[in-house]
Structures are given as C-alpha cells and as structure tokens.
Amino acid sequence: MPTKTYLNLPEEKRQKIEKAAIAEFATNPLQSASINAIVSKAGIAKGSFYQYFESIDDLHDHILTIVRKKKLEVINSLPLDSANLDTFRYLRRVLQAAVEFQIRYPDLASIERFQRLSANHLSSVDPETGERMGGDGRFHAFLTQGILHDDIATWVDVDMAAFMLEIIEGGIAPYLVERIGDKAPEFTSGNLLSVDDQRTQDLFDNLMDILEAGLARTPQIRKDFYSK
Amino acid sequence: MPTKTYLNLPEEKRQKIEKAAIAEFATNPLQSASINAIVSKAGIAKGSFYQYFESIDDLHDHILTIVRKKKLEVINSLPLDSANLDTFRYLRRVLQAAVEFQIRYPDLASIERFQRLSANHLSSVDPETGERMGGDGRFHAFLTQGILHDDIATWVDVDMAAFMLEIIEGGIAPYLVERIGDKAPEFTSGNLLSVDDQRTQDLFDNLMDILEAGLARTPQIRKDFYSK
DNA sequence: GTACAATGTGACCGTTCGGTCACACCATCT
DNA sequence: AGATGGTGTGACCGAACGGTCACATTGTAC
C-alpha cells in the first residue's frame, strides 16, 4: 500500500508517477521492471520513491488497483440494453468490455496480461463450498446462473467452460482490435465506441454464435442467416 | 545459432547446459533471464558460454527449437486411430497433445507460454495469398479444410475461430492437468499416458462437445447423452 | 619430444541494479 | 528569528549484471 505521503501528493505529481509506472509495467513484466527507469521517467528522486512505496511490488499492486478500477469504469460505460440481460447478452457484454478496455487503455490491458501469466490462478476455491472453480469464479457463477435460467446446457462442465471463457476473454481482445483495424484510432479519440461500429458487431456476432452454439441449451445457430 | 564448437561438444555436456537453460527460461522470461545463473547451474565458465552462443537470445532460440522438437515428438507419440482422422478427431488430438506435453515437459511448456506472451503474433500473413490469418496459420488451415470436408459450418469466421482455438490450445493445458490431478505423477513416470485415463477422456469429451457444437456444421450435441 | 590450433577458464571491466542516508528544503509553529 | 517536522534529494553502497580477454589446458600432427 502507498504511504500517506504519497496519497497527500498533489494529483498532478501522482499522475506523473503512475503514468511512468504504467509505461514501465506495460513493457516489462514485474520481474524485470526497473525502479531506476520509473523514477527517471517520472522525474523524481529515488529517495522519494521509497517515501511513497515500500517496494516495487507495492507500486505494482497500486497500479493493479488502477487497472481494475479503469476496467470497471469501461464495463459500466457500456450502454445497458435492459435491466436484466439474458445470459448470452451478458457474456457478450463482458467480452465487449475486454475489447473496449484494450482500445482505450492498451497499456493497462498489457499489464493485466502480464499479471495473468505470472499469477497462474488456474483455479480458485469457493470460500463457501470449498469447491474448486475454474478461473477466478466470475464465469463459474455466470455459467451456474445460466444453467438455472435454462440458458446453458446442463451437460456443460461448468468448471472447465468457466476457465475456457476466461482465457478467451483474456486473449482475444488484442486480436479483435487488430481485426477492427483502421477504426481503432477513432475509438481512442473517444468519438466512437466500438459498440457502435458495424464491423465490430459482425465479429462479435460470429464469436457469440460460436460460443452460444457450444454452450447453449437451445442454441440459436445462425447457419441459415449466414448462408443466405 | 549455436557455434560449431557447441555442436561438437559431448552429448553429456550439452545436455547439462540445456537442462540449466531450460530451468532458467522456465522460471524467468527471456528479458530477466540471467547468463550468470545459467553458467553457474550448468557448471561451466562464463567464457565458455560465449564460445557456444553469441548471446542469451541465441541460446533462447536454440532452446525454442528443442521445445518445438519435443512437442512434435509428443504429437507423434499419440496413438493414431486411423490414417485420415475427421476434423474434430484431429482437433481433439491437437489439444490432447498440448496436455500430454504439459504433463511430460512442464518446463518446456512454461517456456512456450512465456514465448507466446512476448511474441504477440496476433495474426500472421499467408505467404501465398497475402491474406491475414488469425494465429500462426495452423488452425486456419485446419478450419479451412474442415469447411471443405463439410465438417465446419460455413458461417464460422475462420480467421477468428483459428485464433480462438490457438489461445485455447495454449492456455487450457495447465488447467486440464490440474483437473486430472492425482493421476499426473503416473503420467510423468511414463507408465500411463493421459490418453488412457478415463477421467481425462471425460474432460476431453466435454471440451470437444463444446467446441464441436460451436463450430460444426452438423453438431452432434451430447445433450441427450448427458441428461440420461 | 615440439609446434600449433582449439577449447576451457575466471579474474576483471564498466554498467546497472535495489536500497540507504545524511543533508537540503520549506511550511508552520512559538 | 529560531525551532520543528514533514518532504525532497542524489551521492553512495554492495551486489549482480553482460561481456571481454590474457592465459591455462587439452588435443592433434609431425
């Protein structure tokens, strides 16, 4: 945790430090990140660094909280069609948020990817039941809910499917952004959200069709639609 | 590329060096791997290292060729049901090879994962057509073939699906191995291949069902089978 | 034996690393 | 003015880094 001294710093200075740290952690995994490089880029003395943070891990943790905060912001900034989305619309929303995050904050997305690799959270343990769950539990709960709502096929191995969705969420965003291609700069300028772009939506449709056909209890396969 | 001197080294010495390098690269990404640590673990002088390799990248490249070679060995060691597998049996074989590789050579699998992260080969370019392909092209060709054989639905975005399969292949092996759990040690001893274990096969069945339902032209959804 | 080339070696170099600390600075008090 | 306490600073430390090189050792040819 950052020290009180750091938290009392003027916003401007804090941002300069965080910007430098983000740039460093986005290009170097924590193991090979350099404190010297960060303080140099931030324009502060090394002694100051140690008055703000206990160690580089401390700073990295702090940056990770920023990553999570910004990601939440992106998720909440997506337009909500209705109060209670059905299972697959919700999944689409989650994946869309990953893409939006990749576009708006590529550095933060990069940090998230590094973190995913180093923290091999193959499975976590449900604090209540004590059962093992694929991934961090978000998709596990999501799929369980989906089964209760008769959206997800009962034969699906929820544990494994949850893990699969997690690695898809974590890995496919950079690819989709590259596919979207030329449009990306417009998104970053903030004038246009990927959610409004037709090409992006077509890609998402296809991705969701594959996932839905694979997971759904009564899949709405688009074969006919596409073959027309 | 290693020097002639290295290639002429007695097998025993080469293996000691490669073993040390593999241990280092499995725990540290290339950026933060240490030559000093490698030569120390291998029991050779630092001067010798530079007579064998130009740099640490040179050594890393050499280790990567070993990774690829061993992975090919694993793929070929899997029993082949028939000369020409149908599309989804082939896909199952590829994913099974990834698991088998993870079990037999966890260090090499770890090196492969580090490499995947640093080399952001989101897409590659087909040297013939000049078209972009999701992933490195293997799954792209696989899916294209599948469509020709009427196995894969024509509406599937081959590019994206190829990338999706690639990240599934790259990410799911450690999870499946953890799921298999207690059986893993027996596999490493070589007495038992994962391909023979029932629990492993059940997991694979479920994974393949999801993928097949999502991708196939005429999916053989197992709903009925599981709900019995 | 001698000559010569190939290979092995670790002390040594300059650089960078994480981390410390004596000191400078400065706002706020009596 | 003087004292106090929080904040900023960069020279400095030992350790580790990648890389070099003069020299030792070994192998081969004669």
Side-chain angles (χ1 to χ4, degrees), chain B residues 60-132:
Chain B
H60 191 252
D61 285 347
H62 176 61
I63 297 297
L64 282 183
T65 68
I66 294 180
V67 170
R68 283 189 283 268
K69 198 182 70 182
K70 289 285 182 187
K71 185 147 196 182
L72 261 182
E73 276 181 27
V74 169
I75 291 176
N76 291 330
S77 78
L78 288 186
L80 230 158
D81 318 21
S82 73
N84 48 353
L85 300 166
D86 72 77
T87 302
F88 286 102
R89 285 198 180 281
Y90 175 78
L91 178 59
R92 183 194 185 103
R93 203 175 129 92
V94 170
L95 295 179
Q96 217 154 20
V99 171
E100 200 69 32
F101 188 63
Q102 173 71 31
I103 290 173
R104 286 206 228 162
Y105 308 105
D107 281 353
L108 299 188
S110 174
I111 293 174
E112 201 185 24
R113 262 193 304 283
F114 276 128
Q115 180 61 14
R116 210 190 310 276
L117 184 74
S118 63
N120 54 340
H121 62 310
L122 303 175
S123 63
S124 56
V125 173
D126 186 321
E128 295 183 12
T129 67
E131 282 180 358
R132 193 171 359 144

Side-chain angles (χ1 to χ4, degrees), chain B residues 136-180:
Chain B
D136 63 3
R138 285 181 304 132
F139 284 113
H140 194 283
F142 158 75
L143 288 171
T144 305
Q145 278 293 318
I147 288 182
L148 289 179
H149 288 44
D150 277 345
D151 289 329
I152 302 286
T154 54
W155 56 265
V156 168
D157 185 311
V158 171
D159 227 48
M160 183 182 59
F163 187 80
M164 198 182 77
L165 288 179
E166 187 160 301
I167 63 176
I168 289 177
E169 185 212 7
I172 212 164
Y175 168 76
L176 290 180
V177 170
E178 190 181 308
R179 272 293 291 276
I180 297 170

Side-chain angles (χ1 to χ4, degrees), chain B residues 4-43:
Chain B
K4 284 182 187 175
T5 307
Y6 179 72
L7 298 176
N8 288 333
L9 242 45
E11 177 95 3
E12 187 186 333
K13 191 166 188 176
R14 278 211 316 268
Q15 284 195 353
K16 223 169 59 176
I17 294 171
E18 284 164 6
K19 191 178 165 186
I22 288 170
E24 178 73 7
F25 290 135
T27 51
N28 303 90
L30 176 53
Q31 269 183 305
S32 56
S34 159
I35 292 180
N36 286 326
I38 292 172
V39 297
S40 159
K41 186 167 296 184

